[in-house]
Amino acid sequence: WARKIQLNTAVETVREIAKRPHRPAMVRVSIRSDGSVESMSFDVSSGVPEVDEAIRRIVESQRPYPVFPPALARDYDVIEIRRTWHFDDAVRLQ
């Protein structure tokens, strides 16, 4: 998931976000076994509404996410991913 976000986010988008003073946002995304997004929320906002909205757009623009492998789908209907988002010359999720 993180690799898809990091590799497929437009450089122009990242540069625009990086220019705005903000703190790293902690984002929680719940992905269903079919690759759809169940929910997205901010545990920690970037402090800049436009940056938070850009993060939402990035998550939405990468849909659909890969379908869970059969072994994972047998055990889980939804997985929750929490990552801290950093923007400089690329988006970096930790």
Side-chain angles (χ1 to χ4, degrees):
W1 182 84
R3 184 175 302 203
K4 182 173 181 163
I5 297 286
Q6 291 169 332
L7 295 176
N8 294 306
T9 301
V11 173
E12 299 80 27
T13 300
V14 173
R15 286 184 182 148
E16 281 302 311
I17 295 169
K19 287 179 189 176
R20 299 186 69 91
H22 65 280
R23 64 178 167 251
M26 169 72 78
V27 179
R28 182 186 313 238
V29 179
S30 297
I31 307 288
R32 293 185 194 106
S33 60
D34 66 358
S36 62
V37 175
E38 180 175 272
S39 65
M40 180 184 157
S41 61
F42 286 80
D43 289 350
V44 177
S45 167
S46 69
V48 179
E50 294 84 5
V51 172
D52 290 353
E53 184 56 32
I55 292 170
R56 282 189 219 299
R57 284 193 312 271
I58 290 169
V59 169
E60 292 296 319
S61 73
Q62 300 299 316
R63 295 183 332 171
Y65 293 96
V67 172
F68 293 3
L72 184 63
R74 271 193 299 276
D75 294 333
Y76 300 98
D77 295 329
V78 176
I79 60 170
E80 184 179 274
I81 301 166
R82 278 188 274 172
R83 292 287 183 269
T84 301
W85 291 57
H86 300 273
F87 296 92
D88 46 44
D89 59 340
V91 60
R92 301 176 200 290
L93 304 180
Q94 298 177 333

